[in-house]
Amino acid sequence: MSETFLVWLAEFAPTLIKLAVLLMGVATLPLVALAWIRGIYPHVPLVLLAIVPALLTCLTVLNDQWLILVLLCDAAIFLVGLMDLLTLPQPRWFSAQREMLRVASLGKSHQVSMHVNNASYRRIPVAVVDDVPQTCTADPPDFEVILEPRSESTLTYQLLPSQRGEFFLENIYLRLRSRLHLWRRYVTLPVQSTLHVYPDMKQLSEYAILARTNRLSLMGVRRTRRIGTDNEFERLRDYTPDDNYKFLDWRASARRRKLTVKDFQTSQSQRIIFLIDCGRMMTNEASGLSLLDHSLNSALMLSYVALRQGDSVGLIAFADDILAYVPPQGGMNQMNRLLHASFNRFPELTESRYDQAFLYLNTHCRKRSLVVLMTNLIDEVNSLSVQSYLTNLVGKHLPLGILMRDHSLFDAADHEPRNDRELFRAAAAAEILSWRHQVLSDLEHKGVLALDVFPEDMTAPLVNAYLAIKARHML
């Protein structure tokens, strides 16, 4: 009988294979329909159970009496899978809300809370994942919770943005499972939220706190001794070792029983214009942020300091064209205008047009101002353009060039070479640094102020340079 069966099997093998493929396709159609329409997928245990009758089918080659056992096993697995499918939670049982502030700071943790509601009378385990933008990371990335009957669960995570801009969080995703874990259901709950990632603003509040307590040295901001005095009295404050004895108020010191000095109001209503390069040379990264991000963070910090001093601040962002312009104005409301003009600005892979930027400056900003150019010099063509346009401002404006250093160049020059390749690399880096130093010297000899700093250390030297300019009445 076995030989007859084998002969028959060999004769009808092509037909049986086609029939098996057809049956597999028919059996797969309901699974595809469940996944497409209902978001239901078989889980690993169900797949392992389906392998059992497939292995038993191989025994029918030796003895066709195993066929009944295979059919019974198929029927049992089908019934168990169908019954477990009916235990899947329904999407209508769930709802969700998202709670977060609309404004976040670049590179700073931003708290997000999700409220997931279970309207059923069942105790349901569920996995929850938020619709996090690709440029952000969540900690933790997902949650495994058990929702009690008729209850709400609040899940909180920290969102870390790595790129500025406007982002949309549109959904909250749930992953549900059946009682026997044979099936999974994926549910999408529409919850729309908008997130504006601005340049780092938390440093502004840190500056305000340290300024009120006279501890700005903790941020690297030096107390600058004024040359000469301004006539308008501002306030009394505690004496510090850097203060001039002639500003001591002896009556107030006797009354308070501690040394007290007079503070005089510095010159106000002066103007600062930021020229921020958004071209290809600002695409390099340092400490995980682009050079443009570091520039915007420092510019906003100095803007905050200047606005507190009573000065006016404006901004021109440019690449191959003028991308944004904020007219110089005073008052703390100007911070909002600067933030809105810069938060969605990214470096572009185009050649920067310094001629258009300085022409636009000459057309729209005629009063004497402190012009702060933030850029990166990597070749002689760009350096000649920067030198010629900055030196043309001397006399009409006070130009300040911020040139950002490249860590790779300084590391290569400082690294002790161990072979010829590293020696040539160090020599090339030293030659570039020598050329860069010559550019800075030429700018200073022509009356242009210049700062040569690493991008991540730019803020404190920039603020110190501004305070020194104010103290020396250079504007």
Side-chain angles (χ1 to χ4, degrees):
M1 182 175 180
S2 299
E3 294 180 358
T4 305
F5 178 75
L6 292 174
V7 172
W8 177 84
L9 183 62
E11 183 179 355
F12 294 96
T15 305
L16 292 176
I17 292 175
K18 294 180 181 179
L19 181 61
V21 172
L22 179 61
L23 291 176
M24 290 178 59
V26 172
T28 307
L29 284 177
L31 298 178
V32 175
L34 286 174
W36 183 266
I37 301 174
R38 299 291 184 179
I40 300 175
Y41 298 85
H43 195 25
V44 175
L46 182 59
V47 176
L48 295 178
L49 283 177
I51 294 176
V52 175
L55 296 176
L56 292 177
T57 304
C58 298
L59 299 177
T60 59
V61 176
L62 303 177
N63 191 343
D64 55 357
Q65 293 180 357
W66 287 94
L67 183 60
I68 298 176
L69 179 61
V70 173
L71 295 177
L72 291 176
C73 185
D74 286 340
I77 294 176
F78 176 78
L79 291 176
V80 171
L82 181 61
M83 294 176 61
D84 192 48
L85 178 63
L86 299 177
T87 65
L88 273 174
Q90 299 298 317
R92 64 176 182 273
W93 295 351
F94 303 94
S95 61
Q97 297 85 34
R98 185 187 296 107
E99 182 180 345
M100 68 175 183
L101 295 178
R102 186 177 182 181
V103 177
S105 294
L106 179 65
K108 301 294 183 179
S109 295
H110 189 67
Q111 182 171 303
V112 181
S113 298
M114 297 181 293
H115 306 283
V116 183
N117 298 276
N118 176 19
S120 69
Y121 292 93
R122 285 175 50 181
R123 189 169 181 264
I124 303 175
V126 58
V128 184
V129 180
D130 201 2
D131 188 14
V132 178
Q134 293 183 353
T135 57
C136 303
T137 56
D139 183 25
D142 54 16
F143 297 89
E144 294 278 352
V145 296
I146 297 178
L147 299 180
E148 299 295 334
R150 311 288 294 182
S151 67
E152 178 183 287
S153 180
T154 300
L155 311 173
T156 301
Y157 67 92
Q158 298 296 323
L159 187 69
L160 184 64
S162 59
Q163 183 177 339
R164 295 172 291 101
E166 183 179 27
F167 303 98
F168 300 97
L169 287 72
E170 298 182 349
N171 303 302
I172 291 179
Y173 303 100
L174 307 182
R175 187 178 68 238
L176 311 172
R177 64 191 184 194
S178 58
R179 290 190 183 278
L180 299 180
H181 297 188
L182 300 181
W183 300 92
R184 281 187 174 182
R185 165 173 264 159
Y186 294 88
V187 178
T188 301
L189 302 177
V191 183
Q192 296 185 354
S193 303
T194 302
L195 179 66
H196 287 178
V197 180
Y198 287 158
D200 185 10
M201 296 180 296
K202 291 189 177 181
Q203 60 178 345
L204 306 185
S205 59
E206 295 173 1
Y207 176 88
I209 294 173
L210 295 177
R212 286 195 294 267
T213 56
N214 290 323
R215 294 185 298 164
L216 287 177
S217 59
L218 297 179
M219 293 185 66
V221 178
R222 300 190 302 268
R223 181 179 296 277
T224 305
R225 186 181 299 275
R226 288 189 294 268
I227 299 177
T229 60
D230 296 314
N231 296 325
E232 189 174 352
F233 172 77
E234 183 180 7
R235 61 169 181 163
L236 295 173
R237 60 170 176 82
D238 294 340
Y239 169 80
T240 60
D242 291 334
D243 291 321
N244 196 320
Y245 290 113
K246 67 180 180 180
F247 297 136
L248 284 169
D249 190 323
W250 297 107
R251 290 188 178 182
S253 299
R255 184 172 64 253
R256 300 177 67 228
R257 296 185 178 181
K258 61 170 64 175
L259 291 177
T260 306
V261 295
K262 295 179 181 180
D263 253 356
F264 296 92
Q265 195 171 28
T266 57
S267 302
Q268 296 185 354
S269 300
Q270 296 174 335
R271 299 156 66 92
I272 301 177
I273 306 294
F274 289 99
L275 284 177
I276 299 182
D277 184 2
C278 301
R280 63 178 180 87
M281 293 184 295
M282 303 295 281
T283 58
N284 293 342
E285 292 189 356
S287 299
L289 298 177
S290 67
L291 299 186
L292 180 58
D293 289 320
H294 287 293
S295 299
L296 290 174
N297 289 340
S298 300
L300 290 174
M301 184 65 190
L302 180 55
S303 299
Y304 181 80
V305 175
L307 292 172
R308 283 173 58 92
Q309 296 278 349
D311 291 339
S312 301
V313 180
L315 180 143
I316 298 175
F318 68 96
D320 57 343
D321 198 1
I322 304 300
L323 304 178
Y325 172 61
V326 180
Q329 292 185 21
M332 296 310 296
N333 288 333
Q334 182 72 350
M335 281 299 302
N336 294 331
R337 303 184 187 97
L338 296 172
L339 285 169
H340 283 290
S342 60
F343 88 97
N344 207 16
R345 189 64 54 204
F346 304 99
E348 301 182 1
L349 295 177
T350 57
E351 193 68 32
S352 299
R353 293 288 303 275
Y354 294 100
D355 54 346
Q356 289 191 8
F358 282 89
L359 179 61
Y360 197 89
L361 172 70
N362 185 55
T363 305
H364 292 79
C365 306
R366 297 186 177 277
K367 293 184 179 180
R368 180 174 172 81
S369 308
L370 172 63
V371 178
V372 182
L373 173 63
M374 294 181 163
T375 187
N376 181 31
L377 299 183
I378 58 176
D379 54 43
E380 294 185 0
V381 176
N382 292 323
S383 66
L384 291 176
S385 297
V386 170
Q387 284 180 291
S388 61
Y389 288 115
L390 282 178
T391 52
N392 287 337
L393 293 180
V394 176
K396 182 177 182 180
H397 298 286
L398 179 62
L400 171 61
I402 311 297
L403 308 181
M404 282 164 276
R405 294 179 175 180
D406 189 344
H407 281 281
S408 60
L409 287 176
F410 283 82
D411 293 342
D414 294 337
H415 180 69
E416 184 176 352
R418 294 171 295 183
N419 50 51
D420 292 342
R421 181 183 180 87
E422 293 184 358
L423 178 62
F424 289 132
R425 180 182 175 87
E431 183 178 358
I432 295 175
L433 293 180
S434 177
W435 164 78
R436 183 186 180 87
H437 178 73
Q438 185 62 44
V439 172
L440 292 170
S441 299
D442 292 343
L443 288 174
E444 292 176 351
H445 290 160
K446 295 177 181 179
V448 177
L449 303 178
L451 283 180
D452 184 25
V453 293
F454 289 110
E456 64 274 15
D457 301 328
M458 192 191 327
T459 301
L462 181 58
V463 174
N464 289 330
Y466 163 76
L467 295 177
I469 291 170
K470 295 281 289 185
R472 296 172 183 174
H473 306 282
M474 299 176 68
L475 275 176

